[in-house]
């Protein structure tokens, strides 16, 4: 089996394990959008592709207010971060029972901005992943190397530490229910995307590591300056199971176009 065949098999396995073969299009709004803007966004969003799974990660303050409309539109949703404890004296945090109660089915964890600005560690990320899975909520574990590490050709050890660290507390059957998002830090919000070759190489390497070390195939999303112009091409790269989109997910026209245009060409 050549490398491309092997990769196709890994990706197909990943989708089979999740019970679907949908390309995942996830929007991370970060600390953007007021309630008024968010409603206008949802009104402007237009897509009807049944072979896409659309997810939104709005600020926590908007989740409940938007939940009805998101459900109507078959958009899955969740928070950009959670605390692993079910409750207690953790000022400023939100818990998993809180998000579960309002219908969240996924949560972002370990985003590079959380790691960089809030000192989030792989050990914490693993606790969060475990606690989410205990409640049947899908953790989307974000991983990615800095520009310095990429330039030193050290991206593999960085990703390996993040993957192993993030999965550390999980049982094999739990690891099967995780989604990863590969987001090179140098491509986030910079307008610079990784080249198709870099994306293909990283995704293939991550999928192989997951298969060889943990015996699983799970979707690996790509994130980092994905927009309405490059989504079709990136979505067609073998190994890319979908996108995690920041800036372009704030504009309903651009986000609709990405959902509508991108396909499963890479599978
Ligand atoms: P970007 O952000 O699309 O604005 O680069 C991606 C992310 O941080 O998830």
């Amino acid at each position: 089996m050549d490398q491309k065949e092997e990769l196709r098999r890994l990706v197909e396995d990943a989708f089979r394990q999740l019970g679907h073969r949908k390309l995942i299009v996830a929007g991370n709004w970060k600390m953007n959008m007021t309630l008024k803007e968010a409603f206008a966004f949802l009104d402007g969003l237009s897509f009807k592709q049944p072979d896409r799974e659309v997810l939104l990660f709005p600020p926590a303050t908007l989740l409940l207010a938007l939940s009805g409309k998101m459900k109507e539109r078959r958009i899955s949703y969740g928070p950009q971060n959670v605390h692993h404890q079910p409750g207690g004296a953790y000022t400023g945090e939100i818990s998993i029972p809180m998000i579960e109660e309002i219908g969240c089915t996924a949560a972002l964890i370990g985003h590079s901005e959380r790691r960089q600005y809030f000192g989030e560690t792989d050990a914490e990320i693993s606790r969060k992943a475990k606690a989410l899975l205990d409640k049947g909520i899908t953790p989307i574990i974000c991983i990615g190397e800095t520009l310095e590490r990429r330039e030193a050709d050290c991206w593999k050890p960085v990703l390996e530490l993040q993957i192993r660290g993030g999965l550390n507390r999980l049982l094999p059957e739990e690891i099967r229910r995780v989604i990863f998002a590969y987001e090179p830090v140098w491509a986030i919000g910079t307008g610079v995307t990784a080249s198709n070759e870099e994306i293909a190489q990283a995704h293939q390497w991550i999928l192989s590591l997951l298969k060889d070390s943990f015996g699983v195939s799970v979707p690996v999303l790509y994130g980092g300056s994905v927009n309405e112009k490059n989504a079709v091409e990136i979505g067609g790269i073998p190994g890319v199971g979908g996108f995690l989109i920041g800036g372009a997910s704030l504009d309903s026209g651009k986000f609709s176009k990405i959902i509508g245009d991108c396909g499963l060409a890479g599978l």
Side-chain angles (χ1 to χ4, degrees):
M1 212 185 291
D2 68 14
Q3 243 186 2
K4 207 165 166 184
E5 255 310 291
E6 168 69 8
L7 186 59
R8 185 186 302 273
R9 207 178 48 73
L10 283 175
V11 176
E12 279 178 351
D13 270 9
F15 281 97
R16 204 170 306 117
Q17 281 181 20
L18 279 177
H20 60 63
R21 263 180 55 101
K22 291 183 180 179
L23 193 77
I24 298 166
V25 183
N28 171 15
W29 286 358
K30 309 190 180 184
M31 199 173 71
N32 295 296
M33 292 275 203
T34 60
L35 188 55
K36 201 168 154 198
E37 289 165 343
F39 276 125
F41 172 93
L42 288 179
D43 287 342
L45 195 64
S46 141
F47 68 89
K48 47 181 177 315
Q49 291 70 20
D51 60 343
R52 313 278 184 276
E53 179 157 341
V54 182
L55 278 118
L56 278 179
F57 296 96
T61 53
L62 301 183
L63 281 168
L64 177 59
L66 301 183
S67 60
K69 266 194 185 267
M70 290 193 286
K71 275 187 205 147
E72 260 169 42
R73 309 292 302 274
R74 300 224 192 120
I75 298 171
S76 305
Y77 53 88
Q80 300 165 12
N81 179 40
V82 284
H83 197 280
H84 68 275
Q85 289 288 359
Y90 300 99
T91 302
E93 295 290 315
I94 57 169
S95 76
I96 295 167
M98 291 171 190
I99 62 154
E100 191 191 15
E101 189 180 33
I102 56 170
C104 294
T105 53
L108 287 184
I109 52 174
H111 189 280
S112 69
E113 286 147 19
R114 301 283 328 159
R115 294 176 189 261
Q116 186 183 345
Y117 303 133
F118 304 98
E120 207 161 295
T121 63
D122 290 318
E124 282 164 353
I125 293 160
S126 195
R127 275 190 208 103
K128 293 177 189 203
K130 176 87 182 161
L132 284 163
L133 288 164
D134 281 349
K135 293 289 181 187
I137 297 174
T138 304
I140 301 189
I141 303 181
C142 305
I143 57 172
E145 80 287 355
T146 58
L147 183 60
E148 193 194 8
R149 293 295 166 188
R150 169 60 63 170
E151 285 177 347
D153 200 22
C154 268
W155 56 274
K156 288 181 190 167
V158 173
L159 297 184
E160 184 160 3
L161 274 177
Q162 292 176 342
I163 293 170
R164 290 189 187 281
L167 298 179
N168 187 36
R169 287 179 175 263
L170 307 189
L171 302 169
E173 61 270 25
E174 292 171 328
I175 297 177
R176 286 176 200 288
R177 290 155 47 209
V178 165
I179 293 177
F180 277 95
Y182 169 58
E183 301 198 296
V185 177
W186 45 277
I188 294 179
T190 57
V192 180
T193 41
S195 70
N196 290 358
E197 204 190 347
E198 286 167 332
I199 296 173
Q201 201 188 18
H203 279 248
Q204 174 163 356
W205 184 83
I206 294 164
L207 286 165
S208 302
L209 178 84
L210 290 169
K211 187 76 184 171
D212 297 345
S213 302
F214 302 97
V216 300
S217 304
V218 298
V220 181
L221 315 182
Y222 171 77
S225 299
V226 173
N227 59 42
E228 72 289 2
K229 298 192 188 89
N230 58 25
V232 174
E233 203 177 326
I234 297 174
I237 298 174
V240 172
F243 310 114
L244 181 56
I245 304 167
S249 75
L250 295 170
D251 179 311
S252 58
K254 290 181 184 173
F255 199 55
S256 303
K257 186 161 168 45
I258 295 171
I259 300 166
D261 287 356
C262 61
L264 283 165
L267 293 179

